[in-house]
């Protein structure tokens, strides 16, 4: 909260615009986002980016299930565990891990094939009716 508030104050003071009406995370974040291009051109842009990244890390670490997306049931024979797409530790690439709860993993180059297999399982008659698979 204090990080967003301090950057919002800098933006408001230097751009001579009104501060957000409410001092709460959603309003502050929306305000900073509206002025993001200006902020990224500012001399403090690196410090800004580092502080926001640190806040995001704290948020991710405090909510371990945040960003998890259930994709379907594992396509490996005999498995049946849920496949989840989960945020990977920030590595600068923003990539995700896709794995089932039993430990089977699909790398990015395998995601399209996984999607086809899941779709075939959900709609088994598609390939008989002229589907694209």
């Amino acid at each position: 909260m204090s990080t967003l508030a301090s950057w919002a104050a800098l933006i408001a003071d230097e751009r001579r615009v009104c501060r957000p009406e409410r001092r709460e995370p959603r309003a502050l974040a929306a305000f900073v986002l509206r002025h993001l291009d200006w902020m990224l051109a500012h001399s403090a842009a690196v410090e800004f980016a580092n502080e926001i990244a640190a806040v995001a890390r704290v948020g991710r670490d405090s909510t371990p299930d945040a960003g998890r997306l259930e994709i379907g049931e594992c396509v490996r024979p005999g498995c049946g565990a849920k496949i989840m797409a989960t945020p990977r530790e920030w590595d600068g690439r923003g990539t995700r891990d896709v794995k089932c709860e039993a430990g089977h993993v699909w790398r990015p180059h395998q995601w399209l094939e996984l999607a086809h297999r899941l779709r075939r399982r959900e709609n088994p008659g598609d390939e008989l009716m002229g589907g694209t698979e």
Side-chain angles (χ1 to χ4, degrees):
M1 178 76 161
S2 62
T3 300
L4 284 172
S6 68
W7 289 110
L10 176 117
I11 292 166
D13 292 346
E14 291 192 15
R15 296 202 82 187
R16 294 188 171 104
V17 296
C18 293
R19 294 176 190 221
E21 291 181 21
R22 294 180 319 280
R23 191 175 193 267
E24 56 94 18
R26 189 179 304 260
L28 291 169
F31 177 82
V32 170
L33 190 58
R34 275 194 306 277
H35 299 277
L36 187 60
D37 288 340
W38 179 87
M39 191 64 240
L40 294 176
H42 193 277
S43 62
V46 172
E47 182 182 355
F48 166 76
N50 289 337
E51 286 187 20
I52 296 299
V55 168
R57 266 192 305 280
V58 168
R60 277 194 308 272
D61 292 347
S62 65
T63 54
D65 287 339
R68 286 175 53 111
L69 176 66
E70 185 176 336
I71 294 176
E73 192 175 294
C74 186
V75 296
R76 298 283 170 90
C79 185
K82 290 180 192 174
I83 299 175
M84 305 294 287
T86 58
R88 182 178 286 184
E89 274 304 309
W90 179 249
D91 60 3
R93 295 177 299 172
T95 57
R96 300 173 72 86
D97 281 335
V98 176
K99 57 187 171 186
C100 82
E101 293 174 326
H104 300 117
V105 177
W106 291 266
R107 302 287 176 218
H109 69 278
Q110 298 169 312
W111 293 353
L112 187 57
E113 175 59 27
L114 174 61
H116 288 304
R117 291 177 70 184
L118 287 166
R119 193 172 304 118
R120 279 195 301 264
R121 177 182 285 161
E122 291 174 8
N123 304 302
D126 278 0
E127 64 241 20
L128 300 175
M129 300 178 72
T132 59
E133 304 182 80

